[in-house]
Amino acid sequence: MLRTVLLSSPRSWALRKADCHRDGKQANRKHGFVRTIIQCPCPRHDPKCPGRVRMLKKMQICLCFFFVSGILYEISLLSSCFSSYMPMAKNFLTPEQVLNLGKSIIFLETTERLEPPPLVSCSVESAARIYQDRPIILFMKGLTNDTALDLNSSYAAFSLLSSMKNVFIFPLQMETVFQETPLLQWYNQVVPEQEKNWIHVSSDASRLALIWKYGGIYMDTDVISIRPIPEKSFLAAQKSRFSSNGIFGFPAHHKFIWDCMENFVLKYNGKIWGNQGPFLMTRMLKTICNLTDFKGTEDHSCQNISFLNPQRFYPIPYPAWGRYYEVWDKSPNFNHSYALHLWNFMNHNRKAVVAGSNTLAEKLYKAYCPSTYEDLIQNVQLRDFMRSEDVV
C-alpha cells in the first residue's frame, strides 16, 4: 500500500522520494519542490509493522496540518496587503513610516475638533475608494499621541474612517512637520493667538511642508474624489491665470514647493486671507510661467508642472457653490473632472446633505462615499427621528 503526503512551508519547498530497502526501512532523497513519503510494504512476519503503520498515519496527519497551515499563512499575507506594500498592523505605524511609502493622499484638520463632519468623512472615504493602492492620511490637530480613539470610538466618523484599510489618522504636530524647512523659523516666531486666520494659515504651511518632505497629493477636506488624477506634478486652476492650493501634487523635494515655502516666509501677511495659500501659488507660478486663459478643457504645462483646467476640480465656480445643495433637473456628468471642490469655506449657513433631498450633493455622497452617506446621514437622521417619536 502506498501513501502520499504533500508538505509546504512559506519559505522552502522540497521533494523526497522513499526507496524501499530489503529490511523494509525508508531512505529519502531530495528532489524538486514536493516532499513525498512512501510507505514500503512490510515483511509478513514483522511484529513491528502495525505500529509503524499507525505512526506513519499520525505523521501524515501532522504533515497535512502543516501543509494547510502554510497555504493559509501565504493567503493571509496576500489578502492583508493592498498594493503589495501596505503593512498589516497599521495601528502601530508612525506617520513617517506611512509617508515614506510614497504617493500618499494627505488631508489636514487644523481645528481642535475630533469628530470629522460628514463632508470631511466623505472626502477621505472617496479618496480611499478611488486610490485603493495608496495611503490616505488624515492629520488632525486636535488628536494627540495620548488620545484614546480607535475603531470602537464614540465618534462615528472617526470609527468609520479608521476601519478603512488604507486610511491612516495621525496627530498633526506642526513643529515636527516644519523641521528642516524654511517654515520652522516662521513657526517659532509667530503667535497663533494673535493671528486672524491661523486655522487657514497653519494649514497652508503644513501642506507645503508635508508635500515637500514626502511627496504625494494634498486635498482639502471638502474635495470629493471621483476618478484618479493622472498627473504627478500639478497645480489646480481655480480660474484662468489663478491657481488654488486646495489640491496639488508633487514628488518629494520638488524645487517649486521649496520656493513656495521660502516665499511664504518672505511675503508673510497673516491678515490677508489666502496670501499664504492660493495667492502664494499663483504668484510663484507666474514667476516661471506665462499664464494664459484656458480655452475649452485643455490643460496648460510649464517647466514640467501641469496647470490643470478649472473643469478638473472646479466645474462649479465658487460664486455658484450653493448649486451643490440644490436639486437639478438633470445632474451634470463631470466627465472632465477628477474631483469636486464643494467650497465649504463659502458655506456660512452650514448647508448639509439631507437624506431624501435629491440634491446634487446627496447624489455625490451616494456615488462616491456610500458608507458616509449611510452611517452618518441616513442612520443618524433615522435615529434622531426615532428619539423624537419616543419623546412624543
Side-chain angles (χ1 to χ4, degrees), residues 333-347:
N333 54 37
F334 300 118
N335 287 339
H336 300 293
S337 301
Y338 302 133
L340 304 173
H341 194 287
L342 266 64
W343 303 107
N344 194 54
F345 177 72
M346 304 291 295
N347 192 0

Side-chain angles (χ1 to χ4, degrees), residues 9 22 59 96 100 118 142 159 181 184 231 258 288 321 341:
S9 68
R22 292 179 182 179
M59 289 177 60
E96 290 75 16
N100 283 331
S159 179
T181 76
L184 182 61
E231 309 291 341
W258 181 268
I288 60 174
W321 69 272
H341 194 287

Side-chain angles (χ1 to χ4, degrees), residues 203-231:
S203 178
D204 292 335
S206 298
R207 68 189 71 177
L208 289 172
L210 286 167
I211 295 299
W212 183 81
K213 280 186 172 183
Y214 304 104
I217 296 175
Y218 167 80
M219 293 185 184
D220 276 351
T221 52
D222 56 351
V223 172
I224 298 179
S225 298
I226 61 177
R227 56 178 57 88
I229 302 170
E231 309 291 341

Side-chain angles (χ1 to χ4, degrees), residues 89-110:
K90 72 174 188 176
N91 291 337
F92 297 98
L93 294 173
T94 65
E96 290 75 16
Q97 288 173 322
V98 178
L99 288 163
N100 283 331
L101 294 173
K103 302 194 304 180
S104 297
I105 311 294
I106 297 173
F107 295 89
L108 295 173
E109 176 59 75
T110 52

Side-chain angles (χ1 to χ4, degrees), residues 9-57:
S9 68
R11 300 297 180 191
S12 61
W13 299 79
L15 167 75
R16 294 176 184 261
K17 282 188 177 180
D19 293 333
C20 295
H21 290 263
R22 292 179 182 179
D23 57 1
K25 296 181 179 180
Q26 296 180 354
N28 293 336
R29 293 199 304 267
K30 290 183 179 180
H31 186 275
F33 61 94
V34 182
R35 180 178 298 162
T36 307
I37 299 178
I38 303 177
Q39 178 184 337
C40 299
C42 297
R44 290 183 179 180
H45 305 292
D46 189 348
K48 298 180 180 179
C49 190
R52 290 177 179 172
V53 172
R54 288 194 295 272
M55 180 181 68
L56 286 172
K57 286 182 178 180

